[in-house]
Amino acid sequence: QVQMVESGGGLVEAGGSLRLSCAASGRTFSRYAMGWFRQAPGKEREFVVQISWSGASTNYLDSVKGRFTAFRDNAKNMVYLQMNSLKPEDTAVYYCAAGLASGTGWAPRFDYWGQGTQVTVAE
């Protein structure tokens, strides 16, 4: 079981970059696969990326491939989302999430969520 706090959101112009951070608690942080999700106004929550417990593997939403990069530092209990070439449609509240990893390093589901951080992409 972990708790997470996201930060790094803000206002950025289209084409710009932003890095989100998620600080996680728990001595067993490395046992959890981590994910980033987002929710735009009037839309349902959307999967963005999952990163395995080791950080060696990632799985991205097609629309962010080549633009977003997720990575983690288990020694620091941190997970990041580097967002480049941002588009107005990326505007959303972004959430960090955790799920206990199976033997494969991936989580069957995400059970723990941060409070979210707002990302706004302007023209």
Side-chain angles (χ1 to χ4, degrees):
Q1 185 171 334
V2 297
Q3 297 184 74
M4 294 150 291
V5 178
E6 303 98 327
S7 62
L11 175 65
V12 64
E13 294 186 359
S17 297
L18 205 61
R19 178 178 289 187
L20 305 183
S21 299
C22 176
S25 65
R27 294 170 62 184
T28 58
F29 173 72
S30 64
R31 301 275 186 171
Y32 290 82
M34 304 296 296
W36 287 96
F37 295 76
R38 65 188 182 186
Q39 187 166 23
K43 297 183 179 180
E44 63 184 4
R45 187 176 60 196
E46 179 182 42
F47 167 83
V48 177
V49 61
Q50 180 181 191
I51 182 167
S52 66
W53 70 268
S54 68
S57 299
T58 49
N59 181 26
Y60 294 92
L61 176 69
D62 284 345
S63 64
V64 307
K65 289 180 179 177
R67 300 190 299 119
F68 290 12
T69 303
F71 55 100
R72 66 192 294 169
D73 186 340
N74 288 346
K76 298 179 180 179
N77 284 8
M78 296 288 293
V79 62
Y80 305 91
L81 183 65
Q82 178 67 45
M83 303 183 293
N84 299 325
S85 301
L86 282 162
K87 304 175 181 179
E89 53 262 42
D90 294 318
T91 295
V93 177
Y94 283 70
Y95 297 91
C96 181
L100 187 64
S102 70
T104 65
W106 299 101
R109 63 179 185 271
F110 293 95
D111 297 318
Y112 309 102
W113 299 82
Q115 85 288 351
T117 185
Q118 176 71 48
V119 172
T120 303
V121 184
E123 292 292 331

